[in-house]
Amino acid sequence: MSLSSKTSAPKLLWGLLLAGAAGAAAVYAVEGPARFWANWLFVLLLLTTTGLGSLFMVALDRLVGATWSVPVRRVPERLASLLLLAAPACLVYLLALPVLYPWTRPEEAHRAYVAAKAPWLNVPFFSTRMLLCAVLWMLSYRILVHGSLRQDQTKDPAFTLTARRFAPLFMVIFAFTITLVAFDWISSLEPEWYSDIFGVYLFAGSFLAGLAATSLGVLHLRRRNRLAGVGPDHLYNLGGLLFAFTVFWSYIGFAQYMLIWYADLPEEVSWYKLRIEGPWLPVALLLALLHFVVPFFVLVARDAKGDPKVLGRVAALVLGAHALDMYWLVFPSLRKGVTFGWPEVSFLLLAAGAGLLWARRSMSLGADMPVGDPLLREGLEFRL
């Protein structure tokens, strides 16, 4: 890459960020607070789920004692820093509660489903849960990622054992907080609706987003000869995980739909009716095509999983499909049809600019591989 292209990339990203920020500010004045905060939630979900999915991958590596993933683990560690962007955005988002969430409005208090959920769905408790999630994410990030970066300097093998002991606790934290995100941030936009496995659905999408972002990060560094020793077998395992969780996400999505369709309860089917009929039907079909059909049939071949070009294209597609999924979950609750125009483009530019600038910065954190990890040599020697 030439020097001019290296210097122009940050300028382009800053341009995206500034253009998106200007457009996002105009959304509030021109389109009103509801559309502004719906877009804010959309961007917040993208940052949170990708960061959490990346941190989950780090903890999973520690939990199972995998060695193949050690040489590429620094990439999800760096991407987990997206949570540092999401945490303050969570606090700002509390201003959206009276705008987007019906259960905050006094005139809704007489409704039976709102009254029944009042001990859970109230502003003080909601705010406490959101703050608790942010604190737990920051604590987990500090232990798993900052500790790994320190290990590069100290070469202390004791941290590997510490991280392995913390990993099971993080899995509990992850399960608890991703369920809160699913039920509080998304499901309570329509408080009459409820699904037992909605948290699992969001978990599957989050891990897929983290995997896709990690795959793109690994391929980016590998093209620049910054991950010497990471070969096709490492890529194959990334592709295999991407393939497996594409199937898992699809299974959970179908199982949720099938159970709600079979029970045929009015308060449950209304949520799906809004999202699979009328103008939202093409969006739902496109989501199924991009999030399952295309990745499944492209990655089902063994050679495709380890092919850098194929893996990169599928990872980019899965990350885009995840964004479409978050859009499909949030925006129908506005009940304005498929709303996609300059406000959404502005927030997408804002998210792309902020996220890519942050990822670019994070790719310089520590060494490109966890050089202090005693399992690194074994990971570099991994062969299928």
Side-chain angles (χ1 to χ4, degrees):
M1 180 182 290
S2 66
L3 180 61
S4 61
S5 61
K6 287 183 179 179
T7 56
S8 63
K11 292 181 180 179
L12 174 61
L13 295 179
W14 275 109
L16 290 176
L17 176 63
L18 294 175
V27 172
Y28 194 94
V30 177
E31 296 292 332
R35 197 164 180 182
F36 174 87
W37 287 118
N39 276 285
W40 186 283
L41 176 59
F42 168 68
V43 171
L44 177 58
L45 284 170
L46 288 182
L47 293 175
T48 302
T49 54
T50 305
L52 267 180
S54 300
L55 194 57
F56 178 85
M57 188 172 179
V58 173
L60 184 64
D61 167 72
R62 299 291 192 178
L63 181 67
V64 303
T67 56
W68 73 267
S69 56
V70 174
V72 302
R73 194 179 64 226
R74 184 53 46 82
V75 174
E77 286 178 350
R78 290 164 166 173
L79 290 171
S81 68
L82 289 171
L83 291 172
L84 303 181
L85 272 179
C90 288
L91 301 182
V92 175
Y93 184 65
L94 291 174
L95 298 173
L97 296 186
V99 179
L100 292 184
Y101 295 88
W103 50 266
T104 63
R105 301 166 195 158
E107 63 270 19
E108 294 287 323
H110 70 280
R111 295 184 180 273
Y113 62 83
V114 173
K117 296 181 179 181
W120 180 264
L121 292 181
N122 59 80
V123 173
F125 197 19
F126 184 103
S127 304
T128 301
R129 294 194 300 270
M130 181 173 278
L131 180 60
L132 178 62
C133 287
V135 170
L136 289 174
W137 295 336
M138 295 303 98
L139 175 65
S140 301
Y141 177 83
R142 183 169 184 82
I143 293 173
L144 290 172
V145 178
H146 281 204
S148 179
L149 293 172
R150 284 196 302 271
Q151 191 182 40
D152 284 357
Q153 305 299 323
T154 65
K155 304 297 190 294
D156 183 4
F159 173 73
T160 300
L161 182 59
T162 300
R164 185 171 295 180
R165 287 174 174 170
F166 177 72
L169 177 59
F170 173 78
M171 293 303 176
V172 176
I173 292 172
F174 177 84
F176 173 71
T177 57
I178 198 68
T179 302
L180 287 182
V181 170
F183 289 167
D184 285 0
W185 300 12
I186 304 174
S187 177
S188 74
L189 289 168
E190 298 167 65
E192 69 276 12
W193 184 71
Y194 180 81
S195 169
D196 288 330
I197 60 174
F198 190 53
V200 183
Y201 177 86
L202 191 63
F203 152 68
S206 299
F207 189 35
L208 264 179
L211 271 173
T214 295
S215 300
L216 290 172
V218 169
L219 293 170
H220 170 78
L221 294 181
R222 196 167 173 265
R223 283 194 299 269
R224 283 152 181 77
N225 299 315
R226 292 172 57 181
L227 288 179
V230 172
D233 293 333
H234 298 91
L235 298 183
Y236 177 87
N237 277 4
L238 287 172
L241 282 171
L242 203 60
F243 175 77
F245 272 84
T246 293
V247 176
F248 181 70
W249 174 88
S250 306
Y251 167 74
I252 294 299
F254 175 75
Q256 178 177 260
Y257 172 78
M258 181 188 68
L259 290 173
I260 289 176
W261 171 81
Y262 183 78
D264 199 22
L265 299 176
E267 66 272 17
E268 292 182 353
V269 298
S270 61
W271 190 88
Y272 268 107
K273 182 179 176 64
L274 186 62
R275 286 164 174 80
I276 63 172
E277 291 185 358
W280 285 101
L281 177 58
V283 179
L285 295 176
L286 182 63
L287 178 62
L289 179 69
L290 300 183
H291 216 316
F292 171 64
V293 176
V294 175
F296 177 85
F297 284 103
V298 172
L299 289 178
V300 71
R302 177 181 174 85
D303 292 342
K305 296 181 180 69
D307 186 312
K309 291 183 179 179
V310 174
L311 180 60
R313 290 167 183 165
V314 172
L317 177 66
V318 167
L319 205 54
H322 177 67
L324 181 63
D325 189 21
M326 297 302 100
Y327 175 79
W328 184 73
L329 292 176
V330 170
F331 277 81
S333 64
L334 296 178
R335 288 175 167 77
K336 294 182 179 180
V338 179
T339 53
F340 189 85
W342 68 269
E344 287 68 41
V345 172
S346 297
F347 271 90
L348 282 173
L349 292 177
L350 177 62
L356 290 174
L357 278 170
W358 192 270
R360 182 183 175 88
R361 170 193 169 276
S362 70
M363 284 299 166
S364 64
L365 294 177
D368 289 327
M369 293 185 188
V371 293
D373 195 312
L375 299 175
L376 178 60
R377 180 182 294 274
E378 186 177 348
L380 289 170
E381 294 172 351
F382 170 79
R383 297 294 182 274
L384 287 172

